[in-house]
Amino acid sequence: NSPSMDDVQRNMAHRVSSLMNQIGNLDYRIAVTTTDPKNPRTGDGNLLPLTGFAGQYIITPAMGFNNAQAALKNTVQRPEIGSASEQGIYATYRMIEKALAKSKHEKDFFRSDAAFSVILISDGNESGIGVKNQPKSLINLVKKNWPNKKFNFNSVIVRPGDKACLKDREAYGNAYDMLSRMLGYGTPGGSIIGTVCANDYGAQLSGIGNSVQQMVKIIDLQCAPIGNPTTAVTVWKDGAAYNDAYEIQGLKIIFRNNLPAGNYSLNYKCQ
């Protein structure tokens, strides 16, 4: 919600259907915060009340698809003008801190067994230089508190080196680009790096939604298994054989269907 982001908010708000259509079959929770690092109501990692849905802060499938889509569209379009000091990494860090401190809305957002995907939209770079502004610090915070949580950070930014985009915007999003690359950029279920200068955000949001969808179909591997990529790994769920079809891509096993919640164990051999 920085002063330069009004047109981007409108573009994003008009295309949220591209994201929602991709994740509509998931048991999702969606919430919105801003890149403002200080405002005690609309910044500092606080979840924002959903516009048009009094007293609600978290979008869920129980709202119904049309209401969920409307809540996201209306809440992304901000009425306030926030700080020009954009700090999306810090805001994410603070939101997690508040959840861990049992702050009501932030606490209600997190589930220990659910994947966590951030979509950062900014035409600047992380302006703070403290510990909580560092990509590695955010990754460590998530790993410390949820060691097995799948986590990606999607950055819709001025891509480093995109001089044409930079002409109309504030700065290359170097810190956000770095964080996305540290969290699986270019791999199935990994982070997406988009451009804030797109004329139509539909394709980018669809790609992010697809990546979120893949997150709940993937288990990471410790090494590349020997053998047929569709049979080299034996899978158990809650102690019983789990027989959904899969394929192996690099150090990930990707299942045909979303993985039901449960405890999984794998058996495979590597070189």
Side-chain angles (χ1 to χ4, degrees), residues 8-264:
V8 174
Q9 290 175 28
R10 289 195 302 271
N11 194 337
M12 188 68 67
H14 291 155
R15 297 293 182 266
V16 296
S17 61
S18 300
L19 173 66
M20 296 299 296
N21 287 336
Q22 289 287 346
I23 66 170
N25 67 325
L26 299 180
D27 181 15
Y28 58 78
R29 291 182 185 177
I30 302 172
V32 180
T33 188
T34 73
T35 57
D36 188 321
K38 294 184 178 180
N39 190 292
R41 186 173 59 87
T42 60
D44 193 30
N46 289 302
L47 298 189
L48 301 174
L50 302 179
T51 304
F53 296 83
Q56 297 187 55
Y57 289 75
I58 299 171
I59 301 167
T60 72
M63 299 173 66
F65 185 83
N66 289 337
N67 281 338
Q69 184 167 284
L72 181 57
K73 174 182 178 180
N74 295 338
T75 308
V76 165
Q77 184 71 57
R78 303 308 308 150
E80 78 280 347
I81 297 176
S83 171
S85 176
E86 300 178 45
Q87 298 186 32
I89 297 173
Y90 177 87
T92 307
Y93 197 107
R94 288 289 293 135
M95 194 268 274
I96 295 172
E97 281 191 320
K98 292 180 181 190
L100 296 172
K102 308 299 183 183
S103 180
K104 177 173 174 48
H105 305 304
E106 292 75 25
K107 172 181 67 68
D108 291 345
F109 175 77
F110 278 97
R111 294 169 287 179
S112 61
D113 58 352
F116 178 40
S117 183
V118 178
I119 304 174
L120 178 282
I121 310 156
S122 174
D123 67 347
N125 193 28
E126 185 80 359
S127 62
I129 57 174
V131 171
K132 297 177 185 181
N133 300 97
Q134 305 305 315
K136 188 62 177 177
S137 296
L138 180 58
I139 293 173
N140 289 342
L141 180 68
V142 174
K143 285 186 175 180
K144 176 182 177 181
N145 291 283
W146 301 285
N148 298 315
K149 184 178 290 295
K150 296 183 178 71
F151 172 36
N152 71 18
F153 191 99
N154 305 283
S155 299
V156 182
I157 55 174
V158 181
R159 292 170 172 162
D162 187 347
K163 295 180 180 179
C165 182
L166 184 62
K167 288 181 180 179
D168 299 319
R169 296 296 170 184
E170 293 184 0
Y172 293 132
N174 292 315
Y176 305 128
D177 179 86
M178 178 188 299
L179 180 52
S180 293
R181 292 179 186 278
M182 295 169 71
L183 290 170
Y185 172 71
T187 66
S191 305
I192 302 294
I193 302 174
T195 174
V196 78
C197 290
N199 292 324
D200 185 341
Y201 282 31
Q204 296 188 116
L205 288 175
S206 180
I208 291 171
N210 182 62
S211 182
V212 171
Q213 180 76 247
Q214 288 181 314
M215 291 176 79
V216 296
K217 297 181 178 182
I218 288 173
I219 298 177
D220 292 328
L221 302 169
Q222 294 182 359
C223 54
I226 299 170
N228 189 309
T230 61
T231 60
V233 179
T234 304
V235 184
W236 288 271
K237 175 184 176 291
D238 299 324
Y242 185 74
N243 296 315
D244 189 33
Y246 66 79
E247 64 177 25
I248 296 166
Q249 294 186 22
L251 296 180
K252 295 179 184 289
I253 178 171
I254 305 172
F255 293 87
R256 176 180 296 167
N257 300 297
N258 297 342
L259 290 167
N263 293 315
Y264 291 84

